[in-house]
Amino acid sequence: MKWNAELYDDKHAFVFQYGESVLELLVVKAGERILDLGCGTGHLTKKIQQQGAEVIGIDASPEMVAQAKENYPELDFIVANGADFSFDEPFDAVFTNATLHWIHDADGVIKSVYKALKPGGRFAGEFGGKGNVQLLLAATATVLKKYGYAKDNNINPWYYPSTAEYATKLEAGGFRVTFATHFDRSTLLQDGRDGMAKWFNMFGSSIFKGVPATELPQVLNEITDLLQPTNEVDGQWYADYKRLRFIAIKE
Ligand code: BEZ
C-alpha cells in the first residue's frame, strides 16, 4: 500500500498520540538499544530516543520513512519488511505500535524479532485485536454487496488475532508472554462525519479497489449513513477500535 505520509501526520495523528501510552509497556532504560518496528513518520521513535535510548526505526513504506527522516533528521530510519529483517547488532527491545495488523505473516515478524533481540530482550507493543473495526467492516460489506462489488462479508484485509492466538504464536516462536490484553478503544475521528470517509481513504483503499472513482463518494456516504446509529455520538464520529497489547520476553 502507498501511504500519504503528510495526510497521516495531519489528520490521523491519533495513531501516534494513542501510541504514547503504549510506550509505557516498554519502560525504556537509558542507554538501551531499541528497534521501533513500523515507525511511520517517526514521532514515537523520537519519544523513545528522548527517554535515553539509542533507537532505529524501520517501516515498509518508503513514503513514511522519507517523512520520518524529514521530521527527525538526527535519527536512523530504514525501509524494511517487518516480517523479514535482520540487523548485525542485537537490540535490548523491539517496540511496535499500530503496525502488526498490516502484516499477515505474523510468524515471520516473530522470527525476525526473536533473531534481532539479545537473550532476555523484550518485544512490546499494540495493534488491532480480534474484532477491530468490525462495525466499519460490516457496514462496508453491506454497501459493497448492494453495489455488486463484494460477494460476501469476507472483506477484512487486516490481521486481527485474539489474545490467545497471538500469545500462542509468540510462545511457539520462543517468547515468554508476560502480559497480554484485549480491550475496546473507541477512536475519535477528526472532521466529524467527513472523518469516516477520510479514515477509509487513508487506511482502507485496498477494500475499494474494484469501485470506480466516480462511485466511491456515494459508496462511502452510504457506509457512513449505516454507521451513524452506532458510530456517531453528539456530532462526534468514532471508529470501533479493539486493541491487543502484549509484552513478551525472548527466552
Ligand atoms: C488500527 O490501528 O487498528 C487500524 C489502522 C488502520 C487500519 C486498520 C486498523
Side-chain angles (χ1 to χ4, degrees), residues 8-9 13 16-17 20 23 36 39-50 55-57 63-78:
Y8 178 82
D9 261 6
F16 48 84
Q17 284 160 356
E20 287 190 30
L23 268 183
D36 182 4
C39 60
T41 48
H43 300 295
L44 295 177
T45 325
K46 181 65 188 174
K47 297 258 177 226
I48 294 170
Q49 187 227 24
Q50 284 168 336
V55 64
I56 297 178
E63 295 83 17
M64 288 295 197
V65 166
Q67 185 66 45
K69 285 183 174 170
E70 197 176 312
N71 289 342
Y72 305 106
E74 70 281 17
L75 297 184
D76 267 349
F77 296 103
I78 300 168

Side-chain angles (χ1 to χ4, degrees), residues 91-164:
F91 293 90
D92 295 289
V94 175
F95 171 76
T96 186
N97 177 54
T99 296
L100 300 185
H101 45 254
W102 293 100
I103 311 177
H104 281 269
D105 183 6
D107 295 320
V109 171
I110 290 168
K111 206 168 162 185
S112 296
V113 171
Y114 186 89
K115 278 193 293 174
L117 282 170
K118 296 177 183 172
R122 57 211 191 277
F123 180 27
E126 178 184 299
F127 62 113
K130 186 171 184 189
N132 197 39
V133 295
Q134 63 190 0
L135 295 172
L136 271 64
L137 286 168
T140 304
T142 301
V143 176
L144 288 181
K145 280 191 294 184
K146 175 182 153 189
Y147 280 85
Y149 296 124
K151 285 191 290 296
D152 51 35
N153 291 338
N154 203 7
I155 59 161
N156 177 16
W158 299 293
Y159 171 63
Y160 297 146
S162 68
T163 315

Side-chain angles (χ1 to χ4, degrees), residues 123 163 166-172 174-181 245-251:
F123 180 27
T163 315
Y166 200 63
T168 301
K169 281 192 182 294
L170 286 166
E171 286 178 0
F175 286 91
R176 178 167 61 94
V177 179
T178 57
F179 175 78
T181 185
R245 277 187 183 187
F246 65 92
I247 304 173
I249 310 294
K250 172 172 173 169
E251 292 200 303

